[in-house]
Amino acid sequence: MSGRPSLDRLRELGRAQDQELAAQDLDRARARFLESAAGGSTRPGAARVGRSRPRWIAPAAFAALAGVCAVLLLVLLPSSRSLSFAVGSAEGQVGTWIAATADAPLPVRFSDGTSLALDASARARVVAADARGARVLLEGGRLTATVTHTATSTWNFDVGPFDVLVTGTRFELSWSPVREELKLVLREGSVAVSGPLVGGPRTVAAGETLEVFCQEQRFELTRGEPSAAAPPPPSSTPVAVSPGASGPAPAAPGDSAVTAKAADTSPRRPGWRDLVAADRYREAMTAAEAEGFDGLVARASAADLLLLADVARFSGKPERAAAALTATRTRFAGSGEAAKAAFHLGRMAFDQRRSYAEAERWFGVYLGEQPGGSFAQEALGRVIECRALMGSASGAREAARRYLALYPAGPHAAHAESLLEEE
């Protein structure tokens, strides 16, 4: 046979081997297998051509053929190595923050051909990667993705309380943690979205746009080109005065009242909330530190504490984020914000420190306080992962049963089913 054997041909040889080795007559089985390898007939009763070979030749030929098949299978079958990726021109690391600057997008390229482009100020993290795909956490901002499709592709994007399951497609995905709004624009292929309000998995196909407004408790799934993005809501205080805007009349000399009024309307330095509204998290963190971060944590509302925690996380200061979340748990115990703080503490322990016991404890706290909350599905799925990673097979299966009973089509369902099949 000329050229490289196809994978189907190698499988045919394997089937022939299995069938013939089951025969009683070992000599005839060896001969027929070798005839099959040489392109001859494998039918029972087929005539043997040529002089009989000594018995010692067949095992040697069989061993040589097995070696050739093994080498070819290594070449033809897909690699089991985990995907690698590059962030810009640098090598990417699983679990490391990926943050685009405020003035330029940032490319992320995977070894299977999948590519992401983070818009300016977007923040993400590759939390896991294997031979089939990766799990990407989009903390905030917008990214454009082109996912390479294979028969075994498995790509997940975690976005706030939502999970986006992708096999192969091209889309734009954005998340605002401040406004709690998701936007997904499908250019090619399809995805399945799970999470609050949308239920799921809900299929979004090419040409469709999904927008979810968590604070307004509604979502929209439309076809055609998405509408232009609405401008961000105005902040409570102005960041700057527009050039040429009308203002007070010039003050007369010695008119202190008019002078004071003019000073009141002059531009001021934006506060940390203003900067968050503009998605300028690093600057917001600098402003919060200048104002006194510890003092803010001591007097901020529950909602502002969660916002401060986001600012700290997105700025690469996990210890500050933990302080704000812990304060939320202490000062506002029993509130919905305190439950959300528990979930975020669990996710930080899982994604950043690989502290699975601590993560499982916090996810359990969240589930105890908000069993039907917006993060409940993700929290229970993470409990399965924590227990499996800690080597607690029975605990992982117990969580898997609970998950399948509540979310039979959820993003962790396949993993849960595989654990139960091992019983």
Side-chain angles (χ1 to χ4, degrees), residues 171-193:
F171 60 91
E172 289 122 42
L173 181 64
S174 62
W175 168 249
S176 170
V178 177
R179 297 185 293 276
E180 295 185 341
E181 294 178 5
L182 169 80
K183 186 171 185 179
L184 174 65
V185 181
L186 255 293
R187 301 297 183 185
E188 295 177 3
S190 65
V191 302
V193 181

Side-chain angles (χ1 to χ4, degrees), residues 37 52 74-76 122 148 155 161 178-180 189 238 242 254 260 333-334 371 394 413:
S52 173
L74 288 175
V75 173
L76 294 174
T148 299
W155 283 81
V178 177
R179 297 185 293 276
E180 295 185 341
S242 301
S394 60

Side-chain angles (χ1 to χ4, degrees), residues 21 51 81 134 192 194 211 235 243 252 273 275 277 281 302 334 371 373 385 395 398:
L21 289 180
R51 192 183 342 180
R81 294 178 58 189
S194 302
E211 296 180 273
S235 56
R273 292 185 191 84
L275 294 165
Y281 286 91
E385 295 184 49
E398 184 273 333

Side-chain angles (χ1 to χ4, degrees), residues 241-251 258 261-263 265-266:
V241 174
S242 301
S246 61
V258 175
K261 183 178 180 182
T265 59
S266 62

Side-chain angles (χ1 to χ4, degrees), residues 119-397:
D119 277 13
S121 299
R123 300 158 307 281
R125 186 195 307 271
V126 179
V127 297
D130 58 25
R132 298 175 301 170
R135 179 177 288 273
V136 179
L137 175 65
L138 177 62
E139 287 279 7
R142 177 178 177 271
L143 65 77
T144 300
T146 301
V147 178
T148 299
H149 175 68
T150 69
T152 59
S153 293
T154 304
W155 283 81
N156 287 84
F157 289 77
D158 292 333
V159 191
F162 300 93
D163 179 89
V164 180
L165 175 63
V166 181
T167 52
T169 189
R170 186 166 61 89
F171 60 91
E172 289 122 42
L173 181 64
S174 62
W175 168 249
S176 170
V178 177
R179 297 185 293 276
E180 295 185 341
E181 294 178 5
L182 169 80
K183 186 171 185 179
L184 174 65
V185 181
L186 255 293
R187 301 297 183 185
E188 295 177 3
S190 65
V191 302
V193 181
S194 302
L197 300 177
V198 299
R202 178 180 293 273
T203 299
V204 183
E208 293 183 334
T209 297
L210 173 68
E211 296 180 273
V212 186
F213 308 91
C214 295
Q215 294 178 1
E216 300 175 21
Q217 290 291 292
R218 66 183 180 88
F219 74 91
E220 297 176 359
L221 181 61
T222 57
R223 289 198 62 82
E225 283 297 312
S227 58
S235 56
S236 57
T237 54
V239 175
V241 174
S242 301
S246 61
D255 192 342
S256 59
V258 175
T259 302
K261 183 178 180 182
D264 290 341
T265 59
S266 62
R268 69 167 184 83
R269 184 184 298 276
W272 68 271
R273 292 185 191 84
D274 303 311
L275 294 165
V276 168
D279 289 334
R280 294 156 61 182
Y281 286 91
R282 292 186 182 277
E283 295 173 65
M285 188 65 201
T286 301
E289 293 283 15
E291 189 173 338
F293 191 89
D294 293 334
L296 285 173
V297 168
R299 65 178 183 270
S301 67
D304 276 355
L305 281 172
L306 292 180
L307 192 56
L308 278 171
D310 283 343
V311 169
R313 286 190 302 120
F314 300 159
S315 302
K317 296 189 176 182
E319 70 288 345
R320 288 299 207 187
L325 294 172
T326 302
T328 309
R329 298 284 307 162
T330 302
R331 294 181 52 215
F332 301 95
S335 66
E337 288 84 359
K340 287 182 179 180
F343 175 82
H344 290 306
L345 284 166
R347 194 163 69 174
M348 287 174 62
F350 188 105
D351 293 339
Q352 297 179 23
R353 299 193 301 278
R354 303 293 191 267
S355 179
Y356 302 119
E358 180 187 354
E360 182 199 8
R361 179 172 66 83
W362 282 121
F363 290 137
V365 169
Y366 175 83
L367 290 169
E369 295 177 359
Q370 295 277 302
S374 58
F375 294 107
Q377 178 175 274
E378 177 66 14
L380 185 52
R382 294 286 189 117
V383 168
I384 299 173
E385 295 184 49
C386 288
R387 293 179 179 178
L389 289 166
M390 290 189 295
S392 175
S394 60
R397 286 195 291 268

Side-chain angles (χ1 to χ4, degrees), residues 34-106:
L34 292 173
E35 288 175 359
S36 175
S41 172
T42 60
R43 293 178 293 102
R48 297 175 60 183
V49 180
R51 192 183 342 180
S52 173
R53 295 177 176 83
R55 287 188 178 184
W56 61 267
I57 296 179
F62 176 78
L65 180 61
V68 172
C69 290
V71 171
L72 289 172
L73 286 172
L74 288 175
V75 173
L76 294 174
L77 291 178
S79 171
S80 60
R81 294 178 58 189
S82 296
L83 296 179
S84 60
F85 62 97
V87 180
S89 59
E91 181 180 358
Q93 298 291 332
V94 171
T96 301
W97 275 110
I98 304 172
T101 62
D103 56 357
L106 180 63

